[in-house]
Amino acid sequence: MMPDIFNHYPMFIDQETGYKSNFLIDFAKLKRRPTDDYIRKVLTNQFDHDLYNLFFSQFDPSQIQFLEGVVCDYTTPKINTIENYNLSDLKSDMLDILTKKLKPLSNQKAILFLSCGVDSLLLLHICLELNIKLKCIYVASLYNKDEIEDICRIRDQYNIDVEIIDNYDPLVPDQDYYRYFHYNPSFQLLGAIGPVRYYNILKDPMYSEYKYVLTGHEVEVTLDMLDPAIYNSASDQTQFKNYNKIYGKYVNYTFNQQTKQSIENLFNYSRYERVIKRLTMCRDYAVNELLTGKHYVKPYKNEKLVSATLSLSNEDVIANAYKIPSYEILDDVWNFKTPHKPVYGNTHKYEKSFNMLEHRMDDPRVNTLQTNNKVWLKNYMIQYNKY
């Protein structure tokens, strides 16, 4: 297997025997007991509020030990930067790299989880240029319900196959949670609700002919296209409003004191450390691919693109946080105007459904991470006791 610098498929190793597996459940046969620290964090709902404020994973196997004597076989990569690199360079490289990464799928069948966001729309345009046979899926939820009209317009404009799953709050059956979290606990931020919902959709036999899955949802964390990038240059709402006026063609942000404090606490405003920690958090594609039988193509997860992002400086960092490169590629190359997004920020992103930060930590919609990890802990101990 090629080196996995983004920790997509975390490999676990038993220190005594050298046994390796992508699935922690496999270590039950070696009688490896869950660590007291992991059990305590799961059962007592312990949260690191700085991680929570920045939407980082609470349970990252590269940072904490889940089983006694079993470690995540992983080393944080060193990402080199490029001298004299600017936003125009990033635009050119992004289009070139995404095209090369998707070209092997020419004339292949693939599923694209499509939204009205620039990330998936950019993938859509490249796929159409490469004659990739797409089945697009749009999942409507309460906070993006107003995008359905735009999705229908895009569908008609490009004559593409789009399935709209009109479900305000997709309910994943209990048996799917148990099956998904049988192999590994939840590694991703906020309980990995997204990957489980992908599985819940893709298990349908109607998608069996599609062997590849594309999404644009990880570009924000990979290429630092999020509001934390702005806090190195702005310290109050007035400055945020100024940047919104200059760069807010596509998305606007709002200042949040908790976010600012957490960035200071965890990273002392080091952009490099924050980006590296975010992009190397464990992503459990091993379970996704095992259960769906599909390969998850990750076009934006590219070492050169990350290096390019970290090579930006000054105002280019701010413009990148506002997704100006993707926005301008769509505009310059395809003359496509993307719908404007609502104001983003930790206290606003989910305002049309519920304000996540105003709910108790044991709210089932917030506390999916704890619930999922309890599911895995129960399943693991059942297997452990069989041996």
Side-chain angles (χ1 to χ4, degrees), residues 38 48 92 138 145 149 188 262 278 327 368 374:
Y38 173 71
D48 183 313
S92 176
Y138 173 79
K145 188 77 171 175
E149 183 177 336
Q188 300 198 15
S262 294
R278 169 78 76 175
Y327 179 91
T368 53
K374 288 174 184 176

Side-chain angles (χ1 to χ4, degrees), residues 28-248:
K29 62 188 176 186
L30 299 180
K31 303 293 284 187
R32 298 302 179 242
R33 182 182 176 277
T35 63
D36 290 339
D37 183 48
Y38 173 71
I39 294 173
R40 180 170 54 253
K41 287 182 178 180
V42 171
L43 297 184
T44 62
N45 288 349
Q46 289 187 17
F47 267 76
D48 183 313
H49 286 271
D50 287 331
L51 293 176
Y52 183 76
N53 289 335
L54 296 177
F55 291 83
F56 276 84
S57 174
Q58 295 284 330
F59 292 92
D60 183 351
S62 66
Q63 303 294 323
I64 66 172
Q65 193 169 2
F66 285 64
L67 303 175
E68 293 179 353
V70 177
V71 296
C72 185
D73 186 16
Y74 177 73
T75 302
T76 300
K78 171 67 176 177
I79 303 292
N80 296 318
T81 56
I82 308 166
E83 291 187 7
N84 302 317
Y85 196 85
N86 58 42
L87 209 65
S88 296
D89 297 323
L90 178 58
K91 285 170 54 180
S92 176
D93 285 341
M94 182 182 294
L95 182 57
D96 181 59
I97 288 170
L98 293 179
T99 301
K100 287 179 179 177
K101 201 161 184 181
L102 292 173
K103 194 170 184 178
L105 300 187
S106 296
N107 298 311
Q108 299 291 324
K109 292 184 176 181
I111 288 173
L112 170 63
F113 281 91
L114 183 65
S115 71
C116 285
V118 292
D119 309 317
S120 65
L121 286 171
L122 183 52
L123 295 182
L124 170 66
H125 281 79
I126 295 173
C127 286
L128 292 176
E129 290 277 320
L130 295 174
N131 196 33
I132 297 172
K133 300 172 183 177
L134 287 178
K135 171 75 172 183
C136 297
I137 298 176
Y138 173 79
V139 182
S141 62
L142 189 58
Y143 74 88
N144 67 0
K145 188 77 171 175
D146 55 344
E147 291 181 346
I148 291 182
E149 183 177 336
D150 291 319
I151 284 291
C152 292
R153 175 179 60 82
I154 293 167
R155 177 197 61 193
D156 296 341
Q157 180 178 351
Y158 293 98
N159 192 28
I160 55 177
D161 181 8
V162 180
E163 179 178 355
I164 298 175
I165 300 179
D166 187 5
N167 194 337
Y168 284 103
D169 188 17
L171 296 176
V172 178
D174 287 346
Q175 62 266 27
D176 284 346
Y177 273 106
Y178 276 88
R179 188 176 186 208
Y180 192 94
F181 292 107
H182 171 80
Y183 300 95
N184 282 326
S186 176
F187 299 160
Q188 300 198 15
L189 65 165
L190 296 180
I193 189 69
V196 182
R197 286 179 177 171
Y198 285 153
Y199 159 60
N200 187 45
I201 293 170
L202 296 175
K203 68 177 184 177
D204 193 307
M206 69 182 292
Y207 303 121
S208 60
E209 62 183 307
Y210 298 91
K211 300 304 180 185
Y212 300 96
V213 179
L214 299 167
T215 76
H217 79 279
E218 288 196 359
V219 62
E220 295 176 341
V221 297
T222 305
L223 304 184
D224 202 26
M225 294 179 170
L226 287 168
D227 58 311
I230 306 173
Y231 285 86
N232 284 59
S233 303
S235 57
D236 57 41
Q237 182 60 26
T238 300
Q239 292 173 302
F240 263 67
K241 286 182 177 180
N242 183 51
Y243 284 129
N244 285 342
K245 289 180 181 179
I246 299 172
Y247 300 111

